[in-house]
Amino acid sequence: MNFTHDTTDAAAQPDVGVSAGQFRTMAELGGDIAFSIALPGFQLRYLSPAFTTLLGHDADALRESLAAPGAGGPLAVLAACLREVAGAAPGERRSTELDVPDAGGRPLPLEVLSIVPTETPATLVGLLRDLSPRRAQQAEQKRFASMLNHEFRTPLATIDGAIQRLEATAVNADEPTRQRYRKIGAAVDRLIGMLDEYLSPDRMAALGKARQANTMAVNELVEAAAAQVRAAGREARVDTGAHAFQLRGEPAGLRLALKVLVDNALAFSPPGTPVALAVRPAAGGVEIAVRDEGGGIPPEDAAFIFDKGYRGSNAADLPGSGLGLYMARSILDVHGGSVLLAPAREGEKATEFRLWLPSSEDSGQQQLASGSSSSDNRSRAPDLDARQDTNNMANP
């Protein structure tokens, strides 16, 4: 089949400097399949040769499916998807995942990345991306997580049972001994809680079923942190300003990073004191500050608190593994962000962590919170779950 190729070159578009053919070549370097479909007639103008290599179908098969919607055939699902995304507003980028049968009838997972450029004549252009490597990686992650879940849960169950027997039978044990039993039991509960939260079969089964959200509003993130503070029976002082920031990233990971900072603020400040959460624009992104009214970070620990496994001098009597702040920093690194300990203000010992993330400000969204400072002291039952392993300012 012969296709009409777009011959617009750099002479016609001096600001671009490369031809349409060069653009296609660049798009296909990573193994993706480029396509171009003229609208509104859905005439296939270009399709990468890699389409036939990957799926075993030739371009004529896709052309026929586009020309006869509802006629069935192995590429009917792909043609229907292309027709649907062609209805997007000009300039709107679409991403769709679907399974397309190859020539042998085996389903092949594909991601369809598409856009209808604002230029005329109207054209649907985009890429077809093979998701098989990503699906295989997700399956391996689930297998590995399932193995970890089993290998850790079995010895933890043994330890838990032994501690329960010791507590039940050691009737003559002194109070320090009983406290040690309870401490071991609480540590086991924390670890089992982490397995339930991060490595449970339900959580693993959810991976890969649907495309995960990759954006969230800062107000959602901050409100979740404020709810955590209130659940501990503390006052959350929230100052979001008059901005509507959108963050690009994995919401669960971002919530976990901020949760670590709030856990530390709760653990290292006196009961009854407030925890302040502030949002402000900074350096092309957004900064979220978490401030407590505790005793501050010992100067000798300040340079090491984000190190893996580091426990500060003020953490000797608290549970923890020294991983919380390290984990928070790692999550933010992945998202192109950062976290730092703010310099102490003169005459104050309070601690303030500042989390920075790249963002965009969406003027069409509802403003964060009320757009002004707020203070509340809604007393709720403290969270007595001993499964938190991140309550350590110098022992993340």
Side-chain angles (χ1 to χ4, degrees):
M1 174 181 176
N2 294 322
F3 295 97
T4 303
H5 293 272
D6 186 355
T7 57
T8 304
D9 57 17
Q13 296 184 357
D15 59 321
V16 175
V18 295
S19 68
Q22 288 173 316
F23 272 123
R24 289 194 290 265
T25 300
M26 288 187 290
E28 294 165 359
L29 281 176
D32 295 333
I33 299 167
F35 65 84
S36 175
I37 300 172
L39 302 176
F42 288 94
Q43 296 173 330
L44 189 60
R45 299 175 61 192
Y46 178 80
L47 185 66
S48 299
F51 181 82
T52 301
T53 303
L54 180 64
L55 287 161
H57 302 291
D58 59 21
D60 285 329
L62 180 57
R63 184 186 186 190
E64 292 170 2
S65 293
L66 286 170
L75 296 181
V77 63
L78 176 58
C81 173
L82 293 172
R83 284 183 165 274
E84 179 181 353
V85 298
E92 179 185 353
R93 182 182 182 275
R94 290 285 189 92
S95 174
T96 307
E97 295 185 10
L98 71 164
D99 289 340
V100 178
D102 65 11
R106 295 177 296 273
L108 183 73
L110 291 180
E111 181 179 17
V112 181
L113 299 168
S114 62
I115 190 171
V116 178
T118 54
E119 295 84 1
T120 56
T123 307
L124 176 68
V125 297
L127 300 172
L128 304 178
R129 180 168 296 163
D130 182 9
L131 294 181
S132 299
R134 184 192 302 177
R135 296 278 179 90
Q137 182 183 36
Q138 290 171 343
E140 178 61 21
Q141 287 174 341
K142 286 188 278 188
R143 185 201 67 78
F144 180 69
S146 178
M147 181 271 293
L148 282 181
N149 192 5
H150 173 74
E151 293 299 325
F152 280 107
R153 195 176 294 273
T154 299
L156 286 173
T158 302
I159 296 171
D160 188 45
I163 286 297
Q164 291 186 43
R165 286 193 298 272
L166 283 172
E167 286 190 283
T169 57
V171 293
N172 296 322
D174 56 20
E175 184 57 27
T177 300
R178 290 185 176 276
Q179 287 182 355
R180 284 193 291 272
Y181 292 161
R182 288 192 289 269
K183 187 174 181 179
I184 294 172
V188 171
D189 284 345
R190 282 199 308 275
L191 290 171
I192 292 176
M194 291 175 67
L195 292 178
D196 291 338
E197 185 171 1
Y198 299 112
L199 299 178
S200 68
D202 289 342
R203 185 175 179 88
M204 291 301 104
L207 289 176
K209 279 191 174 180
R211 188 176 182 85
Q212 300 299 310
N214 62 355
T215 60
M216 75 177 305
V218 171
N219 62 329
E220 297 179 29
L221 189 62
V222 173
E223 281 305 315
Q228 179 187 350
V229 173
R230 295 166 189 147
R234 305 279 282 276
E235 176 188 2
R237 294 180 177 174
V238 182
D239 182 5
T240 57
H243 305 280
F245 291 104
Q246 284 284 356
L247 301 175
R248 183 172 181 84
E250 205 280 309
L254 298 178
R255 282 192 288 266
L256 178 58
L258 186 55
K259 179 182 182 296
V260 169
L261 303 184
V262 173
D263 280 340
N264 281 282
L266 294 172
F268 285 87
S269 58
T273 58
V275 173
L277 301 165
V279 177
R280 47 187 173 254
V286 60
E287 182 179 86
I288 303 174
V290 180
R291 182 178 176 82
D292 63 61
E293 296 184 3
I297 300 291
E300 65 273 16
D301 294 326
F304 307 104
I305 56 174
F306 294 104
D307 291 353
K308 185 177 181 180
Y310 184 80
R311 302 200 67 190
S313 57
N314 60 343
D317 298 327
L318 294 174
S321 59
L323 295 176
L325 289 177
Y326 170 80
M327 179 172 59
R329 185 183 64 178
S330 299
I331 292 172
L332 295 170
D333 284 346
V334 169
H335 288 82
S338 62
V339 61
L340 57 83
L341 175 65
R345 299 175 185 176
E346 187 175 356
E348 293 186 3
K349 291 187 177 181
T351 300
E352 180 177 319
F353 283 100
R354 296 175 184 172
L355 179 158
W356 180 89
L357 284 162
S359 71
S360 60
E361 187 168 359
D362 185 356
S363 59
Q365 277 200 326
Q366 181 180 357
Q367 299 299 313
L368 289 175
S370 63
S372 61
S373 298
S374 67
S375 178
D376 66 85
N377 192 19
R378 283 171 276 179
S379 178
R380 301 184 183 181
D383 184 1
L384 299 180
D385 188 352
R387 294 175 178 174
Q388 298 180 3
D389 192 38
T390 54
N391 330 354
N392 195 337
M393 186 82 67
N395 165 31

